[in-house]
Amino acid sequence: MKRRSFIKKTVLSSFTAIIGTELVFGSNMLNGYTPLAIQEPDPFKMFGKNKEMIVLNDKPWNIEAQAHLLDDKITPNSKIFIRNNGLTPEKINPKDWTLIIDGESVATKKTYTLNDLKSKFKHHTYQLTLECGGNGRSEFDPPAKGNQWTIGAVHCASWTGVRLKDVLEDAGIKDDAVYVGYHAADTHLSGDPSKEPISRGCPMPKALQDETILAFEMNGKDIPLIHGYPLRLVAGGWPASVSGKWVNRISIRNKIHDGTKMTGTAYRIPCNPVAPGEKVKDEDMCIIESMPVKSLITYPKTGATIDNGRKLKIRGHAWAGELEVAKMEYSIDFGSTWTTCSIESPVNRLAWQHFSASIDFPKTGYYEVWARATDTNNVAQPMLLPGWNPKGYLNNACHRIAVKVI
C-alpha cells in the first residue's frame, strides 16, 4: 500500500509540473485516467514550431506559417509549414534505413543503405523553394475541399543530400523511362498497410536536374522527423507534394506514375479555363508541374502604422517555379500604378529571391501595399484571384498588407 501511494503521489506531481498548477481533487482520479489538459499533444512543442503558426488539421498534421514569420532569408525549422497526408512513421532506425530503386525502367534493381548514399555519392547543398500546390486555397469561391491554406504553405530551407540522378544512373535507366514515382514509410490514416497516403513523382527531366536531391539534412542538421527524417526527395519549384518525405523506394517508370494522388483531380488543374463551380472531367485535368510566379511581403506585418512623413521600408521574397523573378513592384493605390522594388538574384537555381523597397505616402490615412512579381517569361502575378479550379490550386494573386499613416 505504501508503494502504491508513492506512485500516485509521483504521478500527481508530474501532472502538476506539466499543467503548471495544482491538480485540485487529483487524489479522486481513477487509476489510469489522464486529465483532458494533457490528452491533446502540443504541436508547437512536439515539432519545435513557432507558436504563431496556425494548425489547420491534426489528423494528419497540417500547420502553416503567417507571412511575417517567413521573413528569414533561409527559413528556420520553427517556421516551416507541415503538410502531411498520413501518419508519421515511428521507431525509425537510420542504420536499418534502405532506399530501393526499382520499376519497369530500371536496368538493375538496387538497394542502398543510408550510409551507402552518404558515402558513395557526392554531397550537394541547395536552398530550394517548396510550396504546397494548395497554398492560397482559402480564397477560392466556390470553396474547394481540403485544408484551407492561406499564404503560409511555402518555405525556402537549405537542403543537403545526393543528386537523385547520380543514384538513378548508378542503378541504370532504360531508354523507355519517362517518370519516377516515390514510395515512403508513412502510414495511411486508416492504418491499412496496403494503402499509401501519397505516392507522387515527376517526369525524368525533372528527376535528372542537378537540384533534385535525396536529402538527409535540412538547414545543416538531420531533417526533423515531421519533415521527412531520415531521407527526403526534394524537387524545388514544383508542388511540394513531389518532394516525398520518409522516402524508401523510388520507381523508374515507363509511364506516368500512377501512385496515390497522381490520378483523378489530385494536384491537377483544368487544362483549359472553366467557370467557377463547373465540373471538369478527369481526362480534362492536367498535372501541375512548375509552380507559378508569386511573392510575399514579410515585413512589416499587416496592420502596421507609420508616422506621416516617414518612409516605410518593406521586404519579402519572390519565386517563380522553374524560372527566376525578373521584376518586382509594389503599389499603394490598389494596382493603378506600380513602382519598382530592388530584387536580389537567387543564391542558386530554384531558391526564392529577396526584394525590398522604401515607400513614401502622400498623406495620412489607410493604405494597402500590394506586391507583384514578374517572371523571366514576362508573366506577372494577377492582381486578384486567378482562374478557379475544383481543388483550389495555384492561387498566386498579389499579396497585400494594410498600413495606416498617422
Side-chain angles (χ1 to χ4, degrees):
M1 290 297 289
K2 285 183 178 177
R3 175 170 170 74
R4 190 178 302 169
S5 173
F6 170 76
I7 292 172
K8 193 158 189 175
K9 282 183 178 177
T10 302
V11 172
L12 287 175
S13 173
S14 298
F15 286 161
T16 300
I18 295 171
I19 297 170
T21 188
E22 181 186 0
L23 186 60
V24 182
F25 300 125
S27 60
N28 294 340
M29 286 194 312
L30 299 174
N31 284 338
Y33 180 78
T34 304
L36 289 173
I38 58 175
Q39 284 187 10
E40 291 298 325
D42 181 342
F44 307 104
K45 287 184 179 178
M46 274 198 309
F47 307 132
K49 295 300 177 188
N50 186 293
K51 288 199 171 184
E52 289 187 84
M53 299 281 282
I54 297 171
V55 178
L56 300 180
N57 198 341
D58 63 353
K59 294 182 182 60
W61 286 108
N62 288 291
I63 301 175
E64 73 169 336
Q66 300 183 61
H68 68 280
L69 296 178
L70 296 171
D71 194 42
D72 301 87
K73 290 189 172 182
I74 299 176
T75 315
N77 170 31
S78 62
K79 298 168 182 175
I80 288 179
F81 75 91
I82 296 173
R83 169 61 174 121
N84 283 355
N85 291 269
L87 302 176
T88 308
E90 299 176 347
K91 299 178 181 176
I92 289 175
N93 183 350
K95 293 181 180 178
D96 297 334
W97 194 269
T98 58
L99 175 74
I100 297 171
I101 305 295
D102 65 4
E104 306 93 346
S105 297
V106 68
T108 306
K109 178 181 175 181
K110 283 197 173 183
T111 301
Y112 302 90
T113 65
L114 203 56
N115 189 55
D116 289 337
L117 295 173
K118 291 181 178 179
S119 61
K120 185 171 183 177
F121 302 99
K122 184 180 178 182
H123 295 192
H124 298 270
T125 298
Y126 299 104
Q127 199 181 336
L128 299 168
T129 307
L130 298 186
E131 182 181 14
C132 175
N135 196 23
R137 175 180 290 139
S138 62
E139 291 189 38
F140 282 102
D141 187 22
K145 290 182 180 178
N147 292 293
Q148 296 300 299
W149 303 102
T150 58
I151 53 176
V154 62
H155 62 74
C156 193
S158 176
W159 298 91
T160 299
V162 298
R163 288 175 177 162
L164 176 62
K165 72 174 183 179
D166 292 342
V167 180
L168 298 181
E169 289 171 354
D170 186 70
I173 305 168
K174 292 183 179 178
D175 291 341
D176 63 350
V178 297
Y179 231 86
V180 296
Y182 70 74
H183 306 273
D186 49 345
T187 306
H188 193 273
L189 292 176
S190 67
D192 184 344
S194 68
K195 295 181 178 178
E196 290 184 299
I198 186 167
S199 174
R200 287 177 46 75
C202 60
M204 292 306 296
K206 180 64 178 174
L208 298 178
Q209 283 184 355
D210 286 351
E211 301 83 3
T212 300
I213 62 174
L214 289 162
F216 36 77
E217 287 185 6
M218 187 180 87
N219 291 339
K221 297 181 179 178
D222 285 346
I223 301 172
L225 176 63
I226 197 67
H227 293 297
Y229 177 79
L231 190 66
R232 179 171 183 174
L233 175 64
V234 183
W238 284 39
S241 55
V242 177
S243 297
K245 302 175 179 179
W246 314 291
V247 168
N248 57 16
R249 181 160 68 96
I250 290 181
S251 302
I252 307 176
R253 309 298 309 271
N254 62 4
K255 60 183 179 182
I256 295 175
H257 184 54
D258 51 1
T260 304
K261 298 200 173 183
M262 274 299 300
T263 59
T265 58
Y267 298 101
R268 295 178 184 233
I269 57 171
C271 300
N272 297 301
V274 299
E278 185 175 327
K279 290 186 177 180
V280 187
K281 296 177 181 176
D282 284 359
E283 57 266 33
D284 294 329
M285 301 285 280
C286 290
I287 299 172
I288 300 169
E289 296 190 340
S290 177
M291 294 294 285
V293 62
K294 196 167 179 179
S295 61
L296 194 62
I297 302 170
T298 57
Y299 180 85
K301 182 178 179 179
T302 189
T305 60
I306 184 172
D307 292 334
N308 190 27
R310 297 190 62 182
K311 290 177 179 288
L312 176 69
K313 292 184 178 179
I314 65 166
R315 60 176 178 260
H317 315 295
W319 58 98
E322 286 284 331
L323 304 174
E324 285 190 19
V325 175
K327 183 170 65 175
M328 191 69 216
E329 301 165 292
Y330 73 83
S331 173
I332 60 171
D333 55 10
F334 300 99
S336 296
T337 60
W338 293 87
T339 303
T340 302
C341 302
S342 64
I343 185 159
E344 300 175 15
S345 297
V347 295
N348 56 251
R349 211 176 76 82
L350 310 181
W352 63 16
Q353 299 168 238
H354 317 297
F355 68 85
S356 60
S358 190
I359 304 175
D360 283 315
F361 295 94
K363 54 187 287 189
T364 60
Y366 171 87
Y367 296 86
E368 290 186 5
V369 179
W370 292 16
R372 182 173 71 177
T374 301
D375 68 24
T376 46
N377 281 347
N378 205 32
V379 175
Q381 288 182 255
M383 286 192 284
L384 299 174
L385 197 69
W388 181 91
N389 62 86
K391 301 288 282 190
Y393 294 125
L394 306 186
N395 179 2
N396 67 333
C398 291
H399 183 225
R400 61 208 72 174
I401 60 169
V403 175
K404 189 181 291 184
V405 179
I406 55 177

